[in-house]
Amino acid sequence: DSGVTQTPKHLITATGQRVTLRCSPRSGDLSVYWYQQSLDQGLQFLIQYYNGEERAKGNILERFSAQQFPDLHSELNLSSLELGDSALYFCASSVGQSEPYEQYFGPGTRLTVT
Amino acid sequence: DAKTTQPPSMDCAEGRAANLPCNHSTISGNEYVYWYRQIHSQGPQYIIHGLKNNETNEMASLIITEDRKSSTLILPHATLRDTAVYYCIVMGGGGADGLTFGKGTHLIIQP
């Protein structure tokens, strides 16, 4: 158990819909990261927040957005969903925002878009 | 542009040491070498990291060559639960960023 929690575990929705994935970091961690893992693209970094502020962006689509709240939990919003958005979405957390640091991953949310 | 090169798959007998190689010939002086693993669709798990010196923790040892162009992750006594995809990641430079995962090495521990 990494100490990072993600809800829900599974999500099935239709194309065009919008969903929200939630992540609670380990106690004391200020950074939250979001990753997408699909069969064809592998594990890809989407976005990072540090203490409520966006810190780094990866391959995140414009239809996707995220935020980190004052209690440090984070939400990833996916809108206008397409079949290709079906994937595992992982959240990770770390203590700080600069090297060296290790990231601790949650169990993931499996999103299926039909 | 891949920063690391790893063999796609490896086998190892249970109880033996598993040695996973990684080439990172373009590594910069301030970049770290990280190892993570992912067991069948679970969240990736941090294993170890190093800059120049060899490192050891309760999970594994990391051997970095003197020129820092390659490294080896050593699992001293592999068990069936060590079957996973192992990712070698190079990053650093003083700023935070997301991890860039390649295809990794699928390590299969044979009973």
Side-chain angles (χ1 to χ4, degrees):
Chain A
D1 184 359
S2 66
V4 178
T5 60
Q6 290 187 247
T7 56
K9 283 189 177 180
H10 302 277
L11 200 48
I12 301 175
T13 189
T15 54
Q17 295 299 305
R18 171 190 170 97
V19 297
T20 298
L21 312 183
R22 181 187 169 105
C23 168
S24 292
R26 291 188 322 157
S27 177
D29 284 359
L30 299 179
S31 276
V32 169
Y33 309 78
W34 286 97
Y35 293 84
Q36 179 194 57
Q37 185 171 32
S38 59
L39 282 174
D40 55 344
Q41 295 290 331
L43 263 163
Q44 289 198 97
F45 165 66
L46 297 178
I47 197 165
Q48 179 206 0
Y49 278 79
Y50 174 77
N51 203 20
E53 299 291 327
E54 183 183 303
R55 180 67 177 83
K57 257 186 176 179
N59 299 322
I60 188 166
L61 300 173
E62 285 192 9
R63 300 183 285 108
F64 296 1
S65 65
Q67 54 184 326
Q68 185 179 26
F69 295 87
D71 67 353
L72 301 177
H73 91 271
S74 177
E75 292 180 356
L76 179 68
N77 300 295
L78 315 176
S79 61
S80 303
L81 285 168
E82 303 175 359
L83 295 177
D85 298 326
S86 295
L88 269 169
Y89 290 84
F90 291 106
C91 166
S93 72
S94 68
V95 171
Q97 61 166 340
S98 58
E99 298 277 33
Y101 58 93
E102 53 263 33
Q103 296 183 22
Y104 294 89
F105 284 76
T109 293
R110 183 176 293 279
L111 174 65
T112 303
V113 182
T114 63
Chain B
D1 292 338
K3 282 192 170 184
T4 64
T5 303
Q6 300 178 253
S9 65
M10 291 181 61
D11 287 349
C12 179
E14 189 177 18
R16 305 296 294 268
N19 295 275
L20 291 91
C22 179
N23 288 323
H24 32 78
S25 58
T26 61
I27 191 170
S28 301
N30 58 356
E31 288 184 313
Y32 288 79
V33 179
Y34 289 84
W35 283 84
Y36 283 77
R37 73 180 182 183
Q38 186 176 26
I39 299 172
H40 188 55
S41 296
Q42 296 180 19
Q45 178 187 24
Y46 165 79
I47 301 173
I48 198 167
H49 74 271
L51 183 62
K52 295 180 183 178
N53 301 320
N54 298 336
E55 303 288 344
T56 296
N57 62 21
E58 65 279 3
M59 286 184 67
S61 295
L62 174 60
I63 308 298
I64 302 174
T65 58
E66 194 168 342
D67 62 8
R68 302 187 71 237
K69 291 185 177 182
S70 65
S71 60
T72 301
L73 178 74
I74 301 172
L75 307 178
H77 305 288
T79 70
L80 297 178
R81 289 178 296 178
D82 292 322
T83 293
V85 178
Y86 287 76
Y87 298 97
C88 170
I89 299 168
V90 167
M91 66 178 294
D97 208 340
L99 298 167
T100 300
F101 289 86
K103 295 189 184 301
T105 296
H106 188 196
L107 175 67
I108 300 171
I109 305 302
Q110 304 281 3

